[in-house]
Amino acid sequence: MAIYKIIVTGSFNSGKTEFIKCISEIDPITTDKPVTENGLKDIKNFTTVAIDFGTITIDKDIIIHIYATPGQERFKFIYDILEKNALALIVLGDITNKESISSMYKYYREFMKIKRLPAVFALTKKDLPNKIENETLDQLLSNKPKEIPLIQISNKNKNEVKQAILLALEQLAEEG
């Protein structure tokens, strides 16, 4: 049996914890604590302060450990720790938030400084009514490398979350 690690990263409130909760076959380990930063408290009550963790079995011989990073800059020291033995990266962006989308490349670059990983960009919350128009999305994502796939998912839909994970694994196979 092989165990692989995939990292899920993205901005504050991009849906990383929901992504893990949606797909994990075990009760996910989360590190949510009350939000203390002014301005962010209005968006949500809790935030990840270390990592979230879950697992998914792809087939009887392949298990994926999924680690989600905190979305706030002050916790980015954890990236070096998570990157060890990671095989792929999924960068999330909230499709209802321009700042979240435009920061996706920044999160991608932070990990690429440490180690080159196959990556997928996934826009979350596609099920919400206030998503950003496609033309604006194209502008906000203009710095995304063309070889990195971009998908839209609901991070509460198990099949769509699994699609993002499988796409990350496909990127790994293509590089291998």
Side-chain angles (χ1 to χ4, degrees), residues 38-158:
N38 290 333
L40 298 181
K41 289 187 221 179
D42 299 334
I43 298 170
K44 65 181 192 174
N45 296 325
F46 292 89
T47 190
T48 302
V49 296
I51 59 168
D52 292 336
F53 172 78
T55 66
I56 180 174
T57 304
I58 300 299
D59 68 33
K60 64 181 173 70
D61 295 325
I62 300 175
I63 295 175
I64 306 295
H65 287 184
I66 309 162
Y67 295 83
T69 68
Q72 295 158 301
E73 288 287 318
R74 64 185 170 153
F75 298 117
K76 80 178 195 179
F77 66 89
I78 197 115
Y79 295 0
D80 290 324
I81 298 164
L82 282 178
E83 190 110 54
K84 285 187 178 171
N85 301 317
L87 294 180
L89 177 69
I90 299 173
V91 182
L92 302 184
D94 176 351
I95 200 166
T96 68
N97 183 297
K98 289 180 182 180
E99 189 176 318
S100 177
I101 295 166
S102 62
S103 71
M104 291 174 77
Y105 182 70
K106 177 186 77 166
Y107 284 93
Y108 167 78
R109 289 297 313 147
E110 286 296 326
F111 277 95
M112 294 306 118
K113 286 180 196 174
I114 305 166
K115 177 182 176 184
R116 180 159 161 58
L117 292 170
V120 171
F121 279 26
L123 296 171
T124 61
K125 306 180 186 181
K126 77 169 195 174
D127 51 324
L128 297 181
N130 55 336
K131 63 184 183 177
I132 295 169
E133 299 291 325
N134 285 340
E135 190 174 296
T136 304
L137 287 175
D138 291 342
Q139 293 169 357
L140 293 170
L141 292 166
S142 62
N143 57 1
K144 179 188 80 63
K146 300 215 181 320
E147 69 274 7
I148 296 176
L150 173 67
I151 61 172
Q152 294 185 16
I153 65 170
S154 166
N155 50 339
K156 295 181 180 182
N157 180 305
K158 190 171 191 165

Side-chain angles (χ1 to χ4, degrees), residues 14-55:
S14 63
K16 299 173 298 292
T17 299
E18 283 302 319
F19 186 99
I20 297 278
K21 286 180 178 179
C22 177
I23 198 72
S24 183
E25 297 168 349
I26 63 168
D27 285 337
I29 298 168
T30 61
T31 58
D32 284 356
K33 296 293 178 196
V35 174
T36 58
E37 292 180 45
N38 290 333
L40 298 181
K41 289 187 221 179
D42 299 334
I43 298 170
K44 65 181 192 174
N45 296 325
F46 292 89
T47 190
T48 302
V49 296
I51 59 168
D52 292 336
F53 172 78
T55 66

